[in-house]
Amino acid sequence: MRRALMSLCAVAALATAVVTGCGDGAGDARGQTRQHIGVRTPALTWRQEVRVNDALQRLTSRCMGRQGFSYQEERDLTLQESRPVRFVQDDLTWARTYGYGSRIETKGARLRERNVNGTYRQDLPATRRALFDDALDGGDGARMLTAPMPNGGEIRKRVGGCTEEAERTLYGDPAEWFRTSKIALSANSLYAGRLMKDPQLTAAVRAWSACMREAGEPYPDPQAAQDGVRAAAVRLGAARADEAFAAERRTAVADADCARRTSLRAVATAREKHYLDRLPDRYVKDIDTYRRLGRQAYDRAVRIVPERD
């Protein structure tokens, strides 16, 4: 259960609303209750995120072309194949077709192994290869961006060349986007322990589990169902891959059906929002900025690339 809810924490910040607050609603030092002001910018949907990423690829490819290099866009997966698999899966149609996405993962792994851009770079003469690196991301001379993490430490990233140009076109300031995105996507670590023990969420997961037992799928939580399917596929091996995928789809359909019957997504979203409500103001502001920059990027992306088929 603990590991499963940690998986929920890892993705829910992208999908739920955030409102500002301080502490756990206990008020300030004078006993006054802080007013919670909701973040006004909605989070991007996964479809919108895919389009923004496609726009980044398109802009990078155009820029590299101007520098005299080839750079192939990564659009080999369909829109539905690009859908992320999260803790709560309640789309019955998707589950019937893709299960938990194991075959999509395999397809993606094969595409990464092919790595057309990496092969192109490797085949260049050494001097051209260095110029390719400089054109793509600034090479060794690129500036370093840093993002402090909520629980301490920092993440760094080099940015320059066509990568920086593409990010600047969509987000405006690559440094501000990098900083706020890393904070927004890791802020769940500040309340993960409380969320894992939240009575309403754990009750919803128990209801989901009871529903799954009635369907012949005895799993304690959605993450355990996904892990169980993967373990079964390994045991069956490549020779019985079709049998494993059929079993994966049956479990995924039962999972989605039980998630709908128990309103698990609604409960998870509401409880996530409850804890995000009580983050310190500085994190709420960063999350709001992250969402605002993301929506700005999407508004620009729709003029650059069409939505995937």
Side-chain angles (χ1 to χ4, degrees):
M1 177 66 175
R2 177 183 178 86
R3 180 163 50 84
L5 291 180
M6 283 298 289
S7 298
L8 169 64
C9 294
V11 300
L14 290 175
T16 60
V18 184
V19 292
T20 185
C22 182
D24 288 310
D28 61 21
R30 294 168 295 179
Q32 297 175 335
T33 301
R34 293 287 299 274
Q35 181 180 4
H36 301 309
I37 303 173
V39 172
R40 297 178 181 178
T41 308
L44 294 181
T45 67
W46 66 269
R47 289 173 178 263
Q48 292 170 329
E49 290 171 355
V50 168
R51 197 162 183 179
V52 170
N53 287 330
D54 286 348
L56 283 169
Q57 292 284 317
R58 178 66 54 83
L59 291 168
T60 302
S61 179
R62 288 175 178 173
C63 176
M64 291 296 285
R66 293 196 303 271
Q67 303 298 319
F69 295 102
S70 172
Y71 189 88
Q72 183 169 309
E73 300 173 39
E74 300 173 3
R75 292 173 61 97
D76 296 291
L77 298 180
T78 67
L79 179 62
Q80 287 302 316
E81 288 174 336
S82 302
R83 179 176 185 156
V85 177
R86 295 178 174 169
F87 181 78
V88 181
Q89 291 292 104
D90 60 359
D91 188 323
L92 284 166
T93 300
W94 199 90
R96 291 189 185 104
T97 304
Y98 301 106
Y100 287 119
S102 64
R103 292 192 169 180
I104 299 173
E105 291 175 5
T106 300
K107 179 179 178 179
R110 289 172 179 166
L111 292 170
R112 288 190 295 273
E113 288 173 2
R114 192 175 68 186
N115 194 0
V116 175
N117 291 319
T119 300
Y120 169 81
R121 175 190 177 276
Q122 194 60 37
D123 289 342
L124 292 172
T127 54
R128 288 282 290 166
R129 194 180 309 142
L131 291 173
F132 178 94
D133 293 341
D134 288 343
L136 180 60
D137 59 15
D140 293 337
R143 66 179 176 133
M144 185 72 72
L145 303 181
T146 61
M149 304 306 290
N151 279 336
E154 64 180 22
I155 293 179
R156 297 184 177 186
K157 169 189 171 182
R158 290 187 182 276
V159 64
C162 290
T163 299
E164 179 173 10
E165 179 181 307
E167 291 184 359
R168 188 174 300 281
T169 299
L170 291 180
Y171 299 113
D173 182 356
E176 184 73 348
W177 165 250
F178 177 72
R179 185 187 68 81
T180 58
S181 67
K182 296 307 176 185
I183 291 173
L185 298 178
S186 61
N188 55 70
S189 62
L190 298 173
Y191 57 79
R194 285 169 288 163
L195 179 60
M196 287 187 294
K197 299 175 183 178
D198 182 86
Q200 293 182 43
L201 181 56
T202 55
V205 172
R206 286 195 300 271
W208 174 93
S209 181
C211 176
M212 289 289 280
R213 283 196 302 273
E214 292 179 1
E217 302 282 354
Y219 293 104
D221 54 64
Q223 188 62 51
Q226 295 182 33
D227 292 345
V229 161
R230 292 189 180 94
V234 171
R235 289 194 301 271
L236 290 173
R240 301 170 67 184
D242 289 343
E243 180 182 345
F245 186 58
E248 173 186 337
R249 285 186 296 170
R250 284 195 300 271
T251 301
V253 168
D255 182 346
D257 183 54
C258 286
R260 287 189 173 194
R261 290 173 181 269
T262 59
S263 301
L264 181 56
R265 179 181 296 278
V267 174
T269 298
R271 299 319 293 160
E272 178 80 6
K273 179 180 182 298
H274 171 81
Y275 292 103
L276 285 169
D277 279 354
R278 288 152 177 77
L279 286 177
D281 288 348
R282 65 183 183 276
Y283 297 126
V284 170
K285 291 177 181 178
D286 284 332
I287 293 170
D288 189 41
T289 298
Y290 160 73
R291 291 185 172 191
R292 176 178 55 78
L293 293 176
R295 187 149 297 278
Q296 170 184 283
Y298 176 74
D299 290 342
R300 293 172 176 175
V302 298
R303 299 192 294 270
I304 297 170
V305 291
E307 187 172 68
R308 292 193 192 189
D309 295 330

